[in-house]
Amino acid sequence: MMIRGLMMGAALTLAACSTGSGPARELSDPAVQRLLNMPTPEYYATLTVATQVAQNCARYRYDAELDSQMNERRNELGRGSLSANSQRNAIELETDVMQRSFGVKHGVELQGTDLCPAADAEVLEGSALSAMLVPV
């Protein structure tokens, strides 16, 4: 009976965590702060890789709401989407480098493979990329 109660409590806790309407992380979170303070090319490269990871792992989704909040904040700081247009070539180069680095770091291909173990590793590390991954 006690075990059943503990299991029910754990299930309710997990359900509460996964059905929240807000972003998985707050802007004050250290991983989010690393993203907010990144140079524009590195920031957009990180978001691109995080999107690819979320698309190739059923256990995580990309936090679009947090993305929107960060973009607003970065625009206030002069480093958001409004400044990205003039840095398109640098963003493309940084994205290529980050995709290759991520693949080498985790021994994976970003396309067509299960990236859940790599996503789990990023979350455990508390990387900036992990800020954008929400457990499903």
Side-chain angles (χ1 to χ4, degrees):
M1 185 70 162
M2 185 172 162
I3 293 174
R4 189 176 293 160
L6 288 173
M7 288 175 32
M8 183 62 130
L12 290 173
T13 300
L14 287 173
C17 290
S18 65
T19 59
S21 61
R25 299 190 188 216
E26 298 294 322
L27 292 178
S28 61
D29 183 281
V32 174
Q33 284 297 307
R34 283 192 290 281
L35 274 173
L36 285 172
N37 293 316
M38 282 181 175
T40 301
E42 186 179 355
Y43 171 76
Y44 282 101
T46 302
L47 296 185
T48 299
V49 173
T51 300
Q52 291 173 313
V53 170
Q55 289 171 346
N56 289 287
C57 176
R59 292 196 306 259
Y60 294 95
R61 69 172 174 78
Y62 182 80
D63 194 340
E65 184 179 341
L66 180 60
D67 182 349
S68 177
Q69 289 179 349
M70 284 193 310
N71 186 54
E72 287 179 29
R73 180 69 182 123
R74 285 181 62 91
N75 277 334
E76 292 170 5
L77 300 170
R79 295 188 316 253
S81 58
L82 300 175
S83 69
N85 287 332
S86 64
Q87 298 183 47
R88 178 87 38 223
N89 290 336
I91 292 169
E92 289 175 10
L93 178 63
E94 184 65 34
T95 299
D96 184 52
V97 169
M98 187 167 288
Q99 288 169 329
R100 291 172 190 245
S101 296
F102 184 89
V104 169
K105 177 180 178 182
H106 297 288
V108 297
E109 297 281 329
L110 278 169
Q111 301 300 327
T113 59
D114 177 18
L115 296 178
C116 289
D120 292 339
E122 291 290 324
V123 169
L124 284 174
E125 181 184 318
S127 69
L129 185 147
S130 73
M132 301 310 299
L133 302 176
V134 179
V136 178

